Amino acid sequence: MNQSAFFHDMTLDYLRPAEPDIGRITDFRFRCAHGDASQVHLVCGSEHKKMKLSETDNGFDYYDVSINIGKDPFIYHFEITGRDGSFSFYDKRGAVSDVMESMRFLVIPGFSTPTWAKGAVMYQIFVDRFCNGDPTNDVMTGEYAYSGFKAKKVEDWGSYPDPRTDFCEFYGGDLQGVLDKLDYLKDLGIEVIYFNPLFVSPSCHKYDIQDYDHIDPHFGKIVEDGGDILPQFEKSNKRAERYIRRVTNKKNLEASDKLFAKVVAEAHKRDIRVILDGVFNHCGSFNKWLDRELIYEDVKGYEKGAYVASGSPYRKYFSFSQDKWPYNASYDGWWGYDTLPKLNYEGSKELEDYIIGIGKKWVSEPYNCDGWRLDVAADLGHSEEYNHKFWRRFREEVKKANPEAIILAEHYGPSRNWLSGKEWDTVMNYDAFMEPVTWFLTGMDKHSDEFKPIRVGNAREFFDTMLYAGGENFTMPSLYTAMNELSNHDHSRFLTRTSQKVGRCDTLMSSSADTGIRKHVMRQAVMIQMTWPGAPTLYYGDEAGVCGFTDPDNRRTYPWGKEDKQMLAFHKEMIRIHKECPELKTGSIRELYAENNFMAYGRFNRTSAIVVAINLNDYEITRDIQVWPMGIPRDAKFKQLMVSDSTGFDVSPTTKTVTDGILSLTMSRNTGYVLRYDSFEAITDEEFWSDNFFGFD
């Protein structure tokens, strides 16, 4: 048998419906070469379901079987018996001699992810560094102190973040700035905004939340600086008094919440969704529940904090080292950081209810957010058992409030236990996207801490990690919504990684992150990002050529008026290609070619197909790529959608012809190609208007 002709995945062409409900009759389809198989069985547990030959097309036979999948996870593989007497198994790896349990296909009845999120183009905004639309809400220099450093207003928008004090440096970016740039995002092709934390917090990154109930007025609106004079600040710290007045003032908080609701509404008018960062594992030492810094000590309307008051209603929200007064003995901090007190859910049902309420609040009227990105989600709680219990309840309650909300977790390592259909929808795809793409194209790790030349151009490692390691984690609903980033707020900018320079801004000058970069490698990465299954997610400024080592240098400002115009134009074209080709949103994927410094893969459905080819060699090559396994005609014609090399990129629509199922492709050095076959473009006008084309009798 020709095992290269075998194919099945969990897309709509081979599993219908692709996200079946509990007890649904579901149609499974398997493909092989015409006349090759004598029998095909779908195997689930001890049951062997015989499949029936139902269609022959383009030299392939399609076998079908309909099964009631019940209510439990439906785990299956295929067994194929050839007319030549040969025998093969088929699981997520393809044709194999032995089935691997973790690589069997898995359907979870009743588990679906939002349709809008599948393949959606996302854009991550670190608000303080994106755009300053309202200078009147800026943090003032010396307004308060945090971790021994005074808050600083940065006057030079283009200056580098200080690696020692960046957490309390403020450039002034805010929600008004985002509102002002929504048309820019729409024009770029963005479909979802992912905001880094927005809630009240003393830091620029806001992963140390002070008040989950409100948007920070320094991101929102400061309508008045007034408020009661706090006795402890009358003489000692007038600046801190001003901060307290600003961030506890109800008018400021309400105005900021109202502005955020407007941002979401205006984004929705432009068909842009909005998801929030949910930092629920820990809060900040400034938090009104702990109040280590005495922010809320004498503010009207706030209870005493657990750090200072024996009778605080929030005492059980935290794990103190002793359960008696004084409570300001040491408390449990995330990774030992005393500015990030870990929340003690097991100790307080009230805390759990409160955070669940926060999860529901922001996806409901009047804010109407479209979901959550969950920070360090697997760390929440003090046991894995409780962690799963919490996220099951969180999912249930949030989905009741907004059935179309997505629940997307930050997680490193295996995530299958949380992607069971009862907890998270999907994850930030570090393990099966960011890291393997970085290894293949640059040999660097995602922090720029290490360079391994042996990884550069290792196409076998690339596919094994992207396809097969990812296959162990994901079912189809999770894979097609996974957040595929090249850069973000925790890792070095991808463009800096292309220099293969090891270091951070505390060991190298920040300016060195901009030197030695190879823009053609960045373009190759974006080609992969915009054509791989999942939700391609831009980190603000990547499209404009922003560089930077890892945190905090990766949090530079967006260079308005100084963008890399070519890089920006390239991103816009690749986003357009991604959105115009349905097979790139929800189609199948298949490895087509893998050798050192060269690889090619295909994305396809029954009507169209994309070939992506990347040449990392410093010389021209010609490779014969078998494209017939995508199910296309053996004499198909591909249109060039994009070609990029060391000089730039080109979208001229040249044509390349397939001969006997093989695409012979000549590529100059350091090149990337995106080519497309469309069956509708191959149809003549006479065929299109004929009754037979539409299947009429």
Side-chain angles (χ1 to χ4, degrees):
M1 290 185 293
N2 185 350
Q3 294 182 340
S4 296
F6 293 176
F7 195 76
H8 170 84
D9 65 7
M10 293 176 289
T11 62
L12 199 57
D13 284 337
Y14 293 89
L15 180 72
R16 186 165 298 215
E19 298 171 316
D21 294 329
I22 292 172
R24 176 67 183 263
I25 300 295
T26 304
D27 299 325
F28 296 81
R29 169 163 281 198
F30 183 83
R31 189 196 77 185
C32 60
H34 176 54
D36 257 11
S38 62
Q39 288 187 93
V40 179
H41 287 90
L42 183 150
V43 181
C44 177
S46 60
E47 293 190 72
H48 285 59
K49 302 286 188 180
K50 186 175 181 179
M51 304 185 75
K52 180 181 179 181
L53 177 62
S54 61
E55 181 184 356
T56 297
D57 181 49
N58 270 339
F60 296 99
D61 288 340
Y62 293 88
Y63 285 80
D64 292 343
V65 65
S66 298
I67 301 172
N68 185 324
I69 62 168
K71 62 182 179 60
D72 298 321
F74 189 85
I75 305 170
Y76 64 100
H77 67 274
F78 298 92
E79 293 180 358
I80 307 98
T81 303
R83 295 186 184 277
D84 59 3
S86 60
F87 179 83
S88 181
F89 298 102
Y90 190 92
D91 63 16
K92 284 185 177 180
R93 297 167 296 168
V96 290
S97 56
D98 291 296
V99 174
M100 182 184 296
E101 187 63 28
S102 64
M103 294 300 288
R104 298 175 75 197
F105 296 99
L106 169 64
V107 176
I108 302 172
F111 178 35
S112 63
T113 53
T115 300
W116 62 262
K118 292 181 175 69
V121 181
M122 300 188 179
Y123 192 87
Q124 179 184 351
I125 297 180
F126 191 89
V127 178
D128 183 62
R129 310 295 161 83
F130 183 61
C131 179
N132 188 347
D134 179 10
T136 67
N137 64 14
D138 290 357
V139 173
M140 299 175 61
T141 295
E143 185 173 323
Y144 59 93
Y146 185 32
S147 287
F149 294 94
K150 289 184 178 180
K152 176 185 177 183
K153 178 181 178 180
V154 180
E155 302 292 347
D156 180 2
W157 179 258
S159 63
Y160 296 125
D162 187 325
R164 301 165 302 165
T165 61
D166 175 71
F167 61 90
C168 58
E169 286 188 331
F170 296 88
Y171 287 72
D174 49 33
L175 289 174
Q176 184 60 51
V178 175
L179 193 59
D180 294 344
K181 298 299 182 180
L182 284 178
D183 288 336
Y184 162 77
L185 297 177
K186 177 67 176 179
D187 183 62
L188 183 59
I190 300 305
E191 297 171 295
V192 183
I193 294 172
Y194 152 42
F195 281 115
N196 284 110
L198 301 175
F199 304 129
V200 180
S201 160
S203 68
C204 66
H205 56 72
K206 304 205 180 303
Y207 281 96
D208 43 6
I209 290 173
Q210 183 173 326
D211 186 346
Y212 291 93
D213 277 304
H214 298 289
I215 301 299
D216 193 305
H218 287 299
F219 280 177
K221 278 190 173 294
I222 294 177
V223 294
E224 65 178 35
D225 275 356
D228 295 334
I229 297 295
L230 304 182
Q232 68 268 37
F233 291 108
E234 280 185 339
K235 297 179 180 179
S236 61
N237 194 341
K238 288 288 185 180
R239 293 287 191 181
E241 176 196 319
R242 173 164 241 163
Y243 173 75
I244 293 166
R245 286 174 166 177
R246 286 177 160 192
V247 300
T248 64
N249 183 294
K250 295 296 184 182
K251 290 184 180 179
N252 292 341
L253 296 172
E254 290 168 0
S256 299
D257 296 347
K258 186 176 179 180
L259 175 61
F260 175 66
K262 180 180 179 181
V263 171
V264 177
E266 289 297 322
H268 285 172
K269 287 180 184 178
R270 294 164 174 80
D271 297 318
I272 298 174
R273 305 271 183 159
V274 175
I275 61 176
L276 288 171
D277 212 324
V279 189
F280 302 136
N281 167 70
H282 54 271
C283 62
S285 59
F286 272 56
N287 191 282
K288 62 185 179 183
W289 300 329
L290 186 70
D291 199 21
R292 190 183 73 171
E293 284 79 9
L294 306 180
I295 298 299
Y296 300 91
E297 177 70 2
D298 291 303
V299 179
K300 186 178 179 180
Y302 292 93
E303 300 278 4
K304 295 285 188 180
Y307 188 81
V308 294
S310 59
S312 172
Y314 312 122
R315 177 173 65 87
K316 294 184 178 180
Y317 285 23
F318 306 95
S319 298
F320 290 95
S321 60
Q322 58 186 40
D323 193 28
K324 60 183 180 180
W325 186 255
Y327 293 106
N328 58 1
S330 63
Y331 50 82
D332 186 10
W334 183 63
W335 279 34
Y337 290 107
D338 63 358
T339 57
L340 302 175
K342 186 172 173 65
L343 293 170
N344 181 32
Y345 289 93
E346 290 92 333
S348 175
K349 180 64 163 54
E350 182 182 344
L351 170 63
E352 179 185 300
D353 292 343
Y354 193 98
I355 293 297
I356 295 293
I358 291 296
K360 295 162 59 178
K361 170 182 176 176
W362 294 99
V363 300
S364 305
E365 292 282 355
Y367 308 108
N368 300 313
C369 286
D370 300 287
W372 290 96
R373 177 267 189 189
L374 306 172
D375 186 61
V376 294
D379 288 2
L380 184 140
H382 292 91
S383 70
E384 186 172 334
E385 179 184 8
Y386 178 79
N387 183 276
H388 287 293
K389 176 185 175 183
F390 178 89
W391 291 125
R392 284 193 293 270
R393 184 183 175 200
F394 186 88
R395 178 187 182 83
E396 182 179 352
E397 297 286 351
V398 169
K399 294 283 187 175
K400 282 180 184 176
N402 183 347
E404 284 296 294
I406 191 166
I407 298 172
L408 188 160
E410 178 194 31
H411 185 61
Y412 298 85
S415 54
R416 189 166 181 166
N417 290 343
W418 288 272
L419 299 177
S420 63
K422 297 179 180 179
E423 299 177 49
W424 309 336
D425 282 322
T426 190
V427 295
M428 301 179 77
N429 197 4
Y430 296 126
D431 298 330
F433 186 79
M434 182 188 282
E435 287 201 306
V437 171
T438 301
W439 294 336
F440 175 72
L441 293 176
T442 73
M444 300 288 289
D445 89 316
K446 57 185 178 291
H447 286 289
S448 294
D449 285 340
E450 187 177 23
F451 170 56
K452 290 187 176 180
I454 195 172
R455 284 190 145 155
V456 180
N458 189 334
R460 184 72 274 133
E461 179 184 50
F462 173 84
F463 283 121
D464 286 350
T465 309
M466 296 278 278
L467 289 173
Y468 307 127
E472 289 188 293
N473 258 339
F474 296 119
T475 57
M476 188 281 292
S478 296
L479 174 64
Y480 284 81
T481 52
M483 184 180 278
N484 291 343
E485 291 187 296
L486 296 171
S487 317
N488 69 12
H489 63 289
D490 283 328
H491 308 103
S492 60
R493 293 273 183 171
F494 188 90
L495 188 53
T496 286
R497 278 177 241 153
T498 68
S499 70
Q500 299 174 327
K501 188 179 298 181
V502 173
R504 302 191 178 201
C505 56
D506 56 354
T507 58
L508 299 170
M509 294 179 62
S510 296
S511 58
S512 65
D514 303 68
T515 61
I517 58 174
R518 296 176 296 161
K519 294 181 182 180
H520 68 273
V521 176
M522 177 75 181
R523 290 195 293 269
Q524 289 172 327
V526 175
M527 282 182 165
I528 298 172
Q529 182 183 39
M530 292 296 161
T531 57
W532 199 263
T537 305
L538 279 65
Y539 183 42
Y540 78 102
D542 267 8
E543 76 278 19
V546 174
C547 295
F549 292 119
T550 203
D551 171 16
D553 198 40
N554 52 20
R555 302 170 183 180
R556 299 181 185 183
T557 53
Y558 188 101
W560 298 108
K562 299 179 181 178
E563 301 93 334
D564 182 325
K565 299 296 186 183
Q566 185 186 63
M567 188 66 73
L568 183 58
F570 177 78
H571 274 82
K572 190 177 294 188
E573 288 293 339
M574 283 307 308
I575 291 171
R576 177 189 60 78
I577 290 169
H578 174 85
K579 293 171 68 175
E580 289 181 356
C581 302
E583 63 273 25
L584 293 180
K585 289 242 180 184
T586 57
S588 301
I589 185 164
R590 181 156 187 154
E591 173 188 333
L592 298 177
Y593 205 111
E595 69 175 28
N596 192 42
N597 287 329
F598 177 77
M599 64 87 169
Y601 59 88
R603 296 292 310 279
F604 56 96
N605 55 31
R606 289 296 299 273
T607 62
S608 54
I610 293 275
V611 169
V612 180
I614 304 292
N615 175 29
L616 300 187
N617 292 292
D618 286 327
Y619 49 84
E620 182 181 284
I621 63 170
T622 298
R623 294 293 181 268
D624 292 338
I625 305 169
Q626 291 188 341
V627 295
W628 64 265
M630 293 190 291
I632 64 176
R634 289 179 173 263
D635 59 351
K637 293 185 184 298
F638 277 86
K639 183 169 77 173
Q640 176 183 294
L641 301 184
M642 173 67 72
V643 60
S644 168
D645 60 21
S646 55
T647 66
F649 70 93
D650 185 18
V651 292
S652 301
T654 60
T655 300
K656 300 187 182 299
T657 301
V658 173
T659 303
D660 195 23
I662 294 175
L663 173 65
S664 185
L665 191 60
T666 298
M667 301 179 67
S668 62
R669 63 190 185 94
N670 303 317
T671 302
Y673 269 96
V674 180
L675 310 169
R676 189 182 194 221
Y677 161 77
D678 186 343
S679 61
F680 289 98
E681 291 185 356
I683 296 168
T684 65
D685 288 343
E686 183 178 350
E687 289 172 324
F688 183 81
W689 291 110
S690 71
D691 287 347
N692 288 337
F693 175 73
F694 290 102
F696 297 148
D697 293 331

